[in-house]
Amino acid sequence: ETGVTQTPRHLVMGMTNKKSLKCEQHLGHNAMYWYKQSAKKPLELMFVYNFKEQTENNSVPSRFSPECPNSSHLFLHLHTLQPEDSALYLCASSHSGVAGTEAFFGQGTRLTVV
Amino acid sequence: GDSVTQMEGPVTLSEEAFLTINCTYTATGYPSLFWYVQYPGEGLQLLLKATKADDKGSNKGFEATYRKETTSFHLEKGSVQVSDSAVYFCALSDGGGATNKLIFGTGTLLAVQP
């Protein structure tokens, strides 16, 4: 149990579907992150939220739409995805403004776009 | 920008062999350094960390020393076990921003054979 829970663990969706990934943490953290993990590529930081405000968007296509309603929950809304978007999507959280503190990761959602 | 370079895998060892996984970094400030481990089908778990030069992080028999002069944070273990088979990620956070976003290396797959 890492303290960060992601649902669903696995998701298969068609290119015209709309789905959402959910992340929840009860560690008292104020920063939350979405990462994409594709085969044979480094982990890609997608979005960063700090105290519910988006502070970073690393040129992520608009078919990925994040939402952070409060410091404990983070969503990633998906629509009209492409097969190359198939990957493991990892959510993480950490304290804000404390240098050297680590991030805690969820188990990820394995997404397959067909 | 900041970056992490770690040795290509896979690394295949026999049980009880000595392990070294090299990691070097580029950063403009004074980063904190981390090793994370990912077991099959799981998210990332923190293995160890070091927050300043000459610090040694250690956990479960693994060690890494923050070497500012060589910008390195190599992971070592004296005697690996089959259960250590996983993907190992070196990462840094620059600590200069409001959050502690992590920049990762590409990961090194370790396979330990009985």
Side-chain angles (χ1 to χ4, degrees):
Chain A
E1 175 58 54
T2 67
V4 179
T5 303
Q6 290 187 242
T7 54
R9 291 291 308 274
H10 301 274
L11 178 62
V12 179
M13 61 185 288
M15 289 189 285
T16 58
N17 291 160
K18 287 185 179 182
K19 296 287 184 184
S20 296
L21 310 185
K22 179 182 176 183
C23 177
E24 184 174 356
Q25 60 90 9
H26 296 288
L27 299 171
H29 294 159
N30 287 305
M32 297 189 78
Y33 315 83
W34 279 117
Y35 283 87
K36 176 183 178 182
Q37 185 177 28
S38 305
K40 303 189 179 182
K41 293 176 71 174
L43 271 81
E44 301 171 54
L45 179 63
M46 300 174 71
F47 302 102
V48 180
Y49 277 82
N50 193 33
F51 290 93
K52 303 187 300 177
E53 299 299 319
Q54 186 181 117
T55 57
E56 193 158 337
N57 173 342
N58 283 319
S59 304
V60 181
S62 59
R63 57 186 184 270
F64 294 90
S65 175
E67 179 190 1
C68 189
N70 55 62
S71 291
S72 299
H73 294 86
L74 184 64
F75 295 89
L76 188 62
H77 304 299
L78 315 171
H79 64 99
T80 59
L81 294 191
Q82 304 298 311
E84 60 265 28
D85 296 322
S86 299
L88 182 67
Y89 289 85
L90 292 164
C91 172
S93 69
S94 73
H95 288 297
S96 295
V98 180
T101 188
E102 63 268 27
F104 290 76
F105 284 79
Q107 292 182 302
T109 295
R110 173 68 64 186
L111 174 68
T112 303
V113 181
V114 297
Chain B
D2 296 351
S3 66
V4 175
T5 303
Q6 60 182 106
M7 63 190 289
E8 295 280 336
V11 173
T12 303
L13 296 173
S14 298
E15 207 164 22
E16 299 184 2
F18 184 85
L19 168 71
T20 300
I21 300 178
N22 290 337
C23 172
T24 57
Y25 67 90
T26 301
T28 53
Y30 300 93
S32 296
L33 301 174
F34 305 83
W35 277 101
Y36 279 80
V37 59
Q38 185 178 34
Y39 298 102
E42 301 293 324
L44 277 69
Q45 302 174 27
L46 177 70
L47 181 59
L48 52 84
K49 70 176 185 181
T51 58
K52 60 183 188 297
D54 300 325
D55 268 4
K56 177 186 282 188
S58 61
N59 185 27
K60 300 181 182 178
F62 291 89
E63 293 183 338
T65 301
Y66 189 148
R67 302 283 187 202
K68 188 163 181 257
E69 63 276 13
T70 54
T71 62
S72 65
F73 192 56
H74 304 321
L75 182 68
E76 296 182 336
K77 186 175 185 183
S79 176
V80 294
Q81 305 300 312
V82 172
S83 57
D84 294 326
S85 298
V87 181
Y88 292 80
F89 293 90
C90 185
L92 68 81
S93 70
D94 64 13
T99 64
N100 290 293
K101 65 177 183 180
L102 293 167
I103 308 298
F104 285 90
T106 52
T108 302
L109 173 63
L110 170 65
V112 180
Q113 299 175 336

